[in-house]
Amino acid sequence: IELKTMAAENKADEAATSPTTKKQKTMVEQAPDSEWPAAWLMPDGDCENQKAKNMREPNVPVTVAELKDIGICYWKLDASAYEYPVISVPWDPKDAVDPKLSQIRDDRGYSYADIITVHPDKLPSYEDKVKAFFEEHIHDAEEIRYILGGSGFFDVRNKKDEWVRIHIKAGDLMTLPEGIYHRFTVDEDDCIHAMRLFVGQPVWTPFNRPCEEHGSRKKYVQEFLEEEKKTEG
């Protein structure tokens, strides 16, 4: 009887320290809807001034649910509470002293980071670079940006292939899924200070639209768009 009791106690101890139990760590939850950045539909046609807000008349807001539905993730951090270099390529994400940023880094496996400042005085060939950022493209990996200062716009395609403009500012940490059509620009303040994070070695290669046959685009369509097509059918 004593042996059976001891065996039962040992099993209970093992269960308490089993891998399943260890995996139940606290993940940093995404920001509540009220903290997400403002987003809206852009007018159809060419964008004459990429740095302007470019809202429809009347404005058509895009909800957090709609952003999540196309794969956008978002966290709100306090960028002003910590100091970061103006430019650092690379920047070791292990140097993060913000506990929330460190937890997100660990949760999502970000092993590389760099810090850039997009500003006429900090980025050579500024206007050419800003125009290049605004070419519609995809990446073959998730895109992660943590805004340390300044502001700008991420434009992403929704399920109707319309442009959604997201106004990002200091403290915004946002991820775009692999394969989503998107583009980026500073706003009319002409300055954004941002951290780029990456899993493994960074690959910043853009694949300009059209690239429907690219593996990353097919992956995105299968995960986020095909279900919509089935529903419409």
Side-chain angles (χ1 to χ4, degrees), residues 82-100:
Y82 305 92
E83 292 186 5
Y84 297 96
V86 174
I87 298 173
S88 181
V89 181
W91 182 80
D92 191 341
K94 292 179 182 178
D95 291 341
V97 293
D98 180 347
K100 191 171 183 180

Side-chain angles (χ1 to χ4, degrees), residues 30-39 63-65 68 74-76 172:
Q30 292 189 53
D33 290 6
S34 60
E35 293 184 358
W36 279 59
T63 67
V64 172
K68 289 181 176 179
Y74 175 81
W75 295 262
K76 186 67 175 179
D172 294 342

Side-chain angles (χ1 to χ4, degrees), residues 126-193:
Y126 173 77
E127 291 296 343
D128 291 338
K129 293 285 180 61
V130 168
K131 288 179 181 178
F133 294 154
F134 203 59
E135 290 289 332
E136 184 174 3
H137 62 279
I138 67 168
H139 293 293
D140 58 4
E142 177 185 60
E143 180 160 337
I144 309 104
R145 295 292 182 271
Y146 175 32
I147 310 307
L148 305 173
S151 51
F153 299 113
F154 262 117
D155 299 339
V156 295
R157 291 287 190 182
N158 66 9
K159 293 188 174 184
K160 296 180 179 179
D161 208 34
E162 301 166 310
W163 277 121
V164 174
R165 173 148 282 196
I166 307 170
H167 200 184
I168 51 173
K169 302 177 182 180
D172 294 342
L173 194 160
M174 191 169 71
T175 69
L176 308 183
E178 174 186 345
I180 190 172
Y181 281 126
H182 67 284
R183 61 191 182 189
F184 167 79
T185 183
V186 292
D187 58 22
E188 292 178 319
D189 290 336
D190 275 310
C191 182
I192 193 163
H193 184 204

